[in-house]
Amino acid sequence: MKQSINDPKSYRAISLANGLRVVVCHNPTSKMSAAALAVNVGHFSDPEDKQGLAHFVEHMLFLGTTKYPDGSEYQKYIASHGGSNNAWTATEHTCFFFEINADVLAPALDRFAQFFISPVLAQEFVEKERKNVDAEFKLKLKDDIRRVYDVHKETINQSHPFAKFSVGNIDTLADKPNDPIRDHVVAFVDEHYCAPFMTLAIEGPQSLDELAQYADEYFSDIKTTTKSKEPLSEPLYLDENKGIKIDIQPVRDDTQLVLSFPMENTLPFYESKPDALLAYLLGYEGEGSVLSYLREKQWALSLSAGAGVSGENFKDFNINISLTDKGEENIRAIVGAVFSYINLLHKTPIEAHHFADKQAIANISFNYKERLKPLASVSQIVMNMHYYPEQDYLYGDYAMEYFDKDAYNHLLGYLSADNVRIAHISKSVVADQQSKWYEVPFKVTKIEQQDLKLLSEIAPLDRFHLPSKNPYTIVSPELVENTHPDKVLLPKISQQSDGLTVWFKQDQTFKTPKGFIYIGIDSPLCVESPKNIALTRLFVDLFLYSVAEEFYDAELAGMSYGVFSHQAGISLQVSGFSEKQHILLEKLLIRLKQPQFQAESFELIKHQMLITWANARRSKSMSQLFSLLSSYLQPANPHADELYEALLETPFEAFVAFSAKLLDAISVQALIHGNWQQQDANKISDIIKHQLGDAMADDNEVDPKHVLLAGKGQINIPLLLPEHDNGTIVYYPMADKSPLYTALCMLVSQLLAPLFFEEMRTEKQLGYLVGVGFVPIHQYPGIAFYIQSPHTNAESLLAEMNTFIFNAKSILAQLSEQEWQNLKNGLAGQLLEKATSMRIQSQRFWAAICNKDLQFNQKALLIDALQHISIEQTASFIDQHLIADHQPDRLALLSYKIAEEMNEMPKSGRIVKTAEELKAL
């Protein structure tokens, strides 16, 4: 296997006697192990009268095997040893995966393998899981991605399996007279879950020999077959499905234009990737590009090219454009502009540097790619095994070996007017039909032949040209000499003055020529009021919009930047290859200090922000409840409704006046981490000081506010959501942020999560979105229980939660000493896991600095506290802080469909309806 020069792992590909192809990976630095198994079967294989069956089978395989018949045993075992697990079903593949503490990989693999050897597929779980699949379907009924997908399925060749309903629901999976669904589940598993159709990837600190032995020992009993998969013969589109315009009405106020060009499967071209080259040229955002023109006209916010559905015999090449209101009024002109550029590509041979720039970035991205966590690694490899030959399992996604002119021109030929499908997604759409499953209003119109002819003949605009050579491209990045031979492990303060603290650490741990610069800018003005917070967020979005074209080449060359608002002001981050980062940083700071905003752009971005905040009301119930929780406890993070009202009437002149003062009084802290020496860090520090220095002072540091609820008891917060599912969150905030209380909250969450899931979702089918989580807010630990239900009201959900929480102590009492130690070791294993990349290490250092953990030892203190916690201590914590008899501090957030139902709110506790009321308690 071709391997990155920066990848310290070792790999081996093997095949078992039953035909199962396996990759094992020795990861010498990880304390976690992971495995993934992918089957070449998905919803394309659903019987016509049992649509959703592949997805349903995925659910059923988790629920007991002959060797381990308890339907929840696998989930509990993984969770109790610090792990996680999941699965997904797509068009042609289904993938199962888990991670766990490395010392229990073997027994975890034994349980995992039994899914595919001897699943029970018990009738009792058929009944229950069918309801859970239905709840999953209903949960996404208002998801616009699913809804657009549904219309897509109805406007293609109906004989192609892509047209099938992939999720399934209570009707498609129903039993019929003398035709129970379980029989189809059993038959589906028997036909498709065979070793030759599967791939397996296992990663851990164990040796390759040991991992290979595990694969053989646990997976050799998966049945084999001599059958092969039938190739797809039906085309995805018929002629009647092309040359059409599809108008789709979404739930959210989000206007999109998508030009889609059907192609053949492009995977055979992976070594030269002509489709990626086309995506680069059409998706370019710099001078001379389609997006540059559309932005100048105020018609579009963003444009991306290339992505689209793909499969064995098809690939959609999409050009996605996010439209403004003006853009929606000029769709015909926008389509013309896109075809104008496409016609430029047809007439203009690409130059050597166009491919060379892409190839250089692909090569250095592969050679210095981030090391992945074991779970991400196996999940990627196990799918690549279905797509690439063995030598390219790791390299296939990055390969750009040569410029294939014939392949490029061949794919370019698909970008023609008679091959286009245009989708217009907008709230303004007037529809004349409705999709079957998600009930999406839409309309299909055939594009007139004369219009298609005009598009095919439209001349390239004079301003359009292919990208120039990228000045930021680095062909051979180098590691600088290590000036810290004593291996300094933590960042040190390299520069400090009034209002400025700069931390620096040279880092060659990951042997990559990259670096990360974080600059946190505290500004009291930014968080002075909800209006100023809204203006700060507008400043950030407008700034990023205004510099996007100028710095796009830097992003293409492997650098990235971002500006973010936070609860103390704003922050700037620059990352990627380190050699030219200081150039990019200085230009960004100059623009940040002296922004040049236009009234038209202000109105455009302001309008988009208002739409975004208004759209928050269309999010699913659980998202809205968690957003409400965050805004109530953090005054510097107002709710979307409050931000909307604060910004609505703000004129351009007021925004300009605010922007001019935003950086007048600030306090700055920065982290420089990566492939730099001390003199490089000093140069970067000087850039920061030169650009921001006059305004910096320690007195400007902001301490974000946080609402503490110590001694307040139960507080009930109702939310009326007429168009959404019922939902309930019970949140227990702690007033103590010590390592002990943090460890207790994490431990109790880890203990209760799989049991809560099993009882509330698997057994009682209260909803699909169910969980228990550790939810810290402003460094204060907390535990959240949550359920979103399409059929059970908020009070009933709360009652179920109360009963479960009341019995939580008895769950502890049933644990053996070994199970208790496993639980603690599992959590400790997660905390002890080393950073797999410089990006993750930088994030950890920066989080510590922002949280005032200036000794960088909070994790060590947390692990120490965890190791000393006893069962008795945990039982006492649950008793005192969770169980209602002791009147613990807790927030119950409940969503209602009908206003009258709010009269039935819990009688215990106080009712609070605004953040101000909560602060006043």
Side-chain angles (χ1 to χ4, degrees):
M1 271 179 268
K2 185 170 183 179
Q3 193 170 337
S4 168
I5 60 174
N6 196 40
D7 187 351
K9 302 174 187 177
S10 49
Y11 302 85
R12 181 186 299 169
I14 59 176
S15 292
L16 304 186
N18 59 3
L20 177 64
R21 292 181 295 127
V22 184
V23 166
V24 291
C25 171
H26 167 60
N27 183 339
T29 63
S30 179
K31 294 185 180 297
M32 301 291 286
S33 289
L37 186 146
V39 193
N40 185 194
V41 67
H43 87 78
F44 279 10
S45 299
D46 288 346
E48 285 293 338
D49 62 342
K50 295 289 182 291
Q51 296 186 34
L53 184 62
H55 179 219
F56 187 50
V57 166
E58 172 222 307
H59 279 240
M60 288 299 301
L61 290 179
F62 281 88
L63 299 172
T65 62
T66 303
K67 188 172 182 179
Y68 301 99
D70 182 346
S72 62
E73 199 275 345
Y74 171 76
Q75 309 269 10
K76 291 175 183 174
Y77 188 84
I78 297 293
S80 66
H81 290 88
S84 64
N85 70 95
N86 213 328
W88 52 258
T89 302
T91 54
E92 297 168 277
H93 296 90
T94 304
C95 187
F96 302 80
F97 45 90
F98 74 88
E99 65 177 346
I100 199 164
N101 276 4
D103 58 354
V104 290
L105 174 61
L109 285 172
D110 185 23
R111 288 161 170 79
F112 185 60
Q114 292 301 312
F115 286 10
F116 316 106
I117 295 170
S118 185
V120 173
L121 309 174
Q123 181 61 40
E124 63 170 309
F125 288 122
V126 168
E127 300 293 340
K128 292 177 178 179
E129 209 56 31
R130 179 164 42 203
K131 293 178 181 176
N132 284 327
V133 168
D134 190 63
E136 180 179 354
F137 162 63
K138 289 176 178 174
L139 177 70
K140 301 283 187 167
L141 279 172
K142 297 183 184 299
D143 183 312
D144 279 327
I145 294 175
R146 293 279 182 100
R147 291 166 67 84
V148 171
Y149 202 50
D150 196 37
V151 174
H152 188 183
K153 287 172 175 287
E154 293 205 12
T155 57
I156 65 168
N157 175 10
Q158 293 303 292
S159 296
H160 194 283
F162 188 89
K164 294 176 183 176
F165 173 41
S166 58
V167 180
N169 65 11
I170 202 77
D171 298 318
T172 66
L173 300 171
D175 293 322
K176 295 180 179 178
N178 301 314
D179 187 23
I181 191 69
R182 184 180 181 277
D183 289 354
H184 292 272
V185 170
V186 172
F188 192 93
V189 172
D190 187 60
E191 179 181 357
H192 298 290
Y193 277 74
C194 304
F197 303 149
M198 296 176 172
T199 55
L200 171 68
I202 308 173
E203 179 173 321
Q206 297 85 350
S207 70
L208 289 177
D209 287 343
E210 188 175 359
L211 292 170
Q213 181 185 338
Y214 287 165
D216 187 60
E217 178 179 353
Y218 296 118
F219 294 88
S220 286
D221 287 341
I222 298 175
K223 63 180 174 290
T224 190
T225 184
T226 57
K227 295 180 181 178
S228 58
K229 292 285 181 181
E230 289 289 329
L232 281 175
S233 57
E234 286 286 343
L236 184 63
Y237 302 104
L238 303 174
D239 288 344
E240 66 199 53
N241 306 129
K242 302 174 187 177
I244 60 174
K245 180 170 180 278
I246 310 164
D247 293 288
I248 305 170
Q249 188 181 108
V251 171
R252 300 170 74 87
D253 189 358
D254 184 16
T255 309
Q256 302 283 331
L257 183 68
V258 183
L259 282 74
S260 183
F261 299 90
M263 292 181 171
E264 65 196 87
N265 179 12
T266 60
L267 198 56
F269 305 113
Y270 82 91
E271 290 177 298
S272 58
K273 292 190 173 56
D275 51 332
L277 189 55
L278 282 171
Y280 157 60
L281 296 172
L282 280 160
Y284 187 69
E285 298 182 17
E287 182 185 342
S289 68
V290 176
L291 182 59
S292 174
Y293 171 70
L294 298 181
R295 278 182 165 166
E296 184 179 297
K297 291 282 191 179
Q298 302 277 313
W299 289 350
L301 296 164
S302 63
L303 180 151
S304 62
V309 297
S310 61
E312 180 187 325
N313 71 342
F314 63 92
K315 155 76 178 177
D316 275 3
F317 186 98
N318 290 351
I319 300 173
N320 293 69
I321 304 170
S322 178
L323 297 179
T324 65
D325 288 351
K326 283 185 179 179
E328 190 168 21
E329 295 169 0
N330 290 276
I331 287 177
R332 190 181 182 90
I334 292 171
V335 172
V338 171
F339 271 94
S340 169
Y341 197 92
I342 289 172
N343 293 339
L344 173 70
L345 294 180
H346 281 289
K347 295 176 180 179
T348 310
I350 69 169
E351 298 178 30
H353 74 80
H354 292 127
F355 181 80
D357 281 351
K358 282 293 291 179
Q359 185 183 49
I361 294 302
N363 287 339
I364 60 177
S365 296
F366 177 69
N367 286 329
Y368 298 106
K369 69 176 183 176
E370 286 192 354
R371 301 173 193 175
L372 300 175
K373 292 182 178 180
L375 183 61
S377 176
V378 295
S379 297
Q380 185 179 92
I381 291 170
V382 80
M383 290 308 304
N384 284 354
M385 293 169 73
H386 287 272
Y387 301 140
Y388 304 121
E390 181 181 311
Q391 68 270 20
D392 289 334
Y393 286 167
L394 307 175
Y395 176 61
D397 289 343
Y398 299 85
M400 287 196 82
E401 292 291 303
Y402 53 87
F403 174 51
D404 187 335
K405 182 179 179 181
D406 290 341
Y408 170 81
N409 287 328
H410 175 62
L411 294 188
L412 178 58
Y414 286 110
L415 304 186
S416 64
D418 58 0
N419 192 47
V420 73
R421 289 163 52 92
I422 300 174
H424 168 223
I425 304 160
S426 171
K427 294 290 283 185
S428 68
V429 160
V430 178
D432 59 10
Q433 56 186 305
Q434 185 171 276
S435 68
K436 179 177 179 180
W437 299 110
Y438 289 81
E439 300 180 347
V440 186
F442 74 102
K443 179 181 180 180
V444 179
T445 309
K446 195 73 177 173
I447 302 173
E448 296 291 338
Q449 279 299 316
Q450 61 188 29
D451 291 332
L452 294 176
K453 187 173 185 294
L454 286 171
L455 290 175
S456 66
E457 296 174 350
I458 192 168
L461 295 177
D462 291 341
R463 61 174 292 148
F464 283 168
H465 60 79
L466 273 57
S468 304
K469 187 170 178 57
N470 192 333
Y472 289 97
T473 298
I474 305 166
V475 177
S476 300
E478 296 181 356
L479 282 170
V480 299
E481 182 184 353
N482 187 2
T483 56
H484 286 158
D486 56 343
K487 294 189 177 180
V488 175
L489 298 177
L490 299 171
K492 302 289 184 184
I493 293 176
S494 68
Q495 190 169 136
Q496 191 165 32
S497 57
D498 188 18
L500 174 65
T501 303
V502 180
W503 299 77
F504 170 62
K505 182 187 183 315
Q506 181 178 3
D507 198 333
Q508 294 190 344
T509 309
F510 303 97
K511 296 183 174 61
T512 180
K514 296 181 181 180
F516 290 78
I517 302 170
Y518 291 88
I519 303 174
I521 304 172
D522 282 15
S523 168
L525 179 70
C526 288
V527 292
E528 197 174 81
S529 65
K531 182 171 185 176
N532 282 14
I533 294 169
L535 287 170
T536 300
R537 296 191 188 185
L538 176 57
F539 175 91
V540 166
D541 281 13
L542 188 53
F543 173 80
L544 291 172
Y545 179 80
S546 68
V547 302
E549 182 174 324
E550 181 179 353
F551 300 124
Y552 183 68
D553 280 340
E555 293 188 281
L556 286 179
M559 287 186 280
S560 62
Y561 66 91
V563 181
F564 312 93
S565 62
H566 53 76
Q567 295 186 51
I570 62 174
S571 60
L572 169 66
Q573 177 189 340
V574 182
S575 61
F577 295 104
S578 57
E579 187 175 320
K580 298 183 180 181
Q581 267 194 52
H582 64 286
I583 300 172
L584 177 60
L585 174 67
E586 184 165 28
K587 290 180 178 180
L588 282 165
L589 285 173
I590 289 171
R591 293 295 306 273
L592 195 68
K593 185 70 175 175
Q594 300 171 345
Q596 298 173 350
F597 298 138
Q598 305 300 319
E600 272 194 335
S601 297
F602 163 80
E603 294 295 344
L604 173 65
I605 302 303
K606 173 187 169 183
H607 180 64
Q608 290 305 128
M609 292 196 74
L610 292 173
I611 288 174
T612 299
W613 289 331
N615 277 336
R617 276 285 180 178
R618 299 183 175 97
S619 298
K620 61 179 178 281
S621 310
M622 204 47 57
S623 298
Q624 293 197 52
L625 288 174
F626 271 112
S627 176
L628 199 65
L629 172 67
S630 176
S631 65
Y632 272 36
L633 294 183
Q634 299 177 106
N637 183 33
H639 190 267
D641 290 348
E642 191 172 5
L643 292 169
Y644 183 97
E645 292 300 326
L647 188 62
L648 184 60
E649 301 298 333
T650 302
F652 177 59
E653 294 73 20
F655 172 74
V656 170
F658 172 82
S659 300
K661 297 184 293 183
L662 190 144
L663 299 179
D664 279 357
I666 58 175
S667 175
V668 177
Q669 57 183 355
L671 169 66
I672 303 166
H673 173 228
N675 186 45
W676 291 290
Q677 296 178 338
Q678 184 65 58
Q679 62 264 32
D680 301 317
N682 292 341
K683 180 191 293 187
I684 293 169
S685 298
D686 289 344
I687 289 171
I688 296 170
K689 194 167 186 176
H690 177 70
Q691 296 301 330
L692 301 176
D694 293 344
M696 296 189 295
D698 290 341
D699 289 346
N700 297 323
E701 184 176 346
V702 176
D703 183 16
K705 297 175 183 177
H706 175 253
V707 177
L708 288 172
L709 300 175
K712 306 298 184 187
Q714 174 152 329
I715 297 168
N716 302 307
I717 301 175
L719 183 63
L720 182 62
L721 299 176
E723 303 297 322
H724 296 273
D725 289 345
N726 300 304
T728 299
I729 295 174
V730 174
Y731 181 67
Y732 293 89
M734 300 298 130
D736 185 336
K737 57 182 177 179
S738 66
L740 173 61
Y741 268 75
T742 302
L744 282 165
C745 285
M746 295 175 78
L747 197 58
V748 169
S749 299
Q750 185 100 342
L751 169 68
L752 298 182
L755 302 170
F756 187 77
F757 182 91
E758 178 194 5
E759 181 175 329
M760 301 300 172
R761 184 178 132 172
T762 305
E763 292 181 9
K764 296 182 176 180
Q765 291 109 42
L766 291 176
Y768 181 76
L769 203 54
V770 171
V772 179
F774 170 67
V775 182
I777 294 181
H778 199 62
Q779 301 177 60
Y780 286 87
I783 302 173
F785 298 78
Y786 58 90
I787 304 174
Q788 179 175 314
S789 176
H791 50 69
T792 304
N793 65 39
E795 287 84 15
S796 297
L797 296 177
L798 181 60
E800 293 284 359
M801 290 179 178
N802 286 338
T803 301
F804 178 89
I805 293 165
F806 182 79
N807 293 325
K809 256 197 348 178
S810 65
I811 295 169
L812 260 185
Q814 296 168 21
L815 288 183
S816 67
E817 181 59 30
Q818 184 60 55
E819 289 171 327
W820 172 246
Q821 290 304 322
N822 289 343
L823 182 70
K824 293 206 299 180
N825 292 340
L827 182 54
Q830 293 178 35
L831 294 170
L832 286 166
E833 185 71 0
K834 293 181 179 179
T836 55
S837 66
M838 186 183 292
R839 176 180 56 84
I840 293 174
Q841 187 61 75
S842 291
Q843 288 171 349
R844 291 179 180 180
F845 285 148
W846 183 240
I849 291 168
C850 292
N851 292 333
K852 309 300 182 188
D853 174 21
L854 303 185
Q855 302 301 313
F856 302 95
N857 65 348
Q858 277 299 107
K859 183 186 286 188
L861 295 173
L862 181 59
I863 292 170
D864 182 67
L866 173 65
Q867 290 171 339
H868 289 90
I869 293 174
S870 66
I871 288 183
E872 295 74 22
Q873 196 173 7
T874 308
S876 175
F877 171 82
I878 291 173
D879 196 40
Q880 295 297 318
H881 293 281
L882 301 188
I883 294 178
D885 287 355
H886 290 92
Q887 298 182 327
D889 300 319
R890 74 175 198 171
L891 290 171
L893 297 94
L894 305 98
S895 71
Y896 297 87
K897 288 187 173 186
I898 303 170
E900 289 73 19
E901 290 180 351
M902 297 170 74
N903 297 327
E904 304 299 319
M905 283 200 69
K907 300 296 184 273
S908 60
R910 285 171 278 198
I911 296 175
V912 168
K913 295 185 178 179
T914 68
E916 291 303 319
E917 286 181 31
L918 186 66
K919 282 188 283 186
L921 290 179

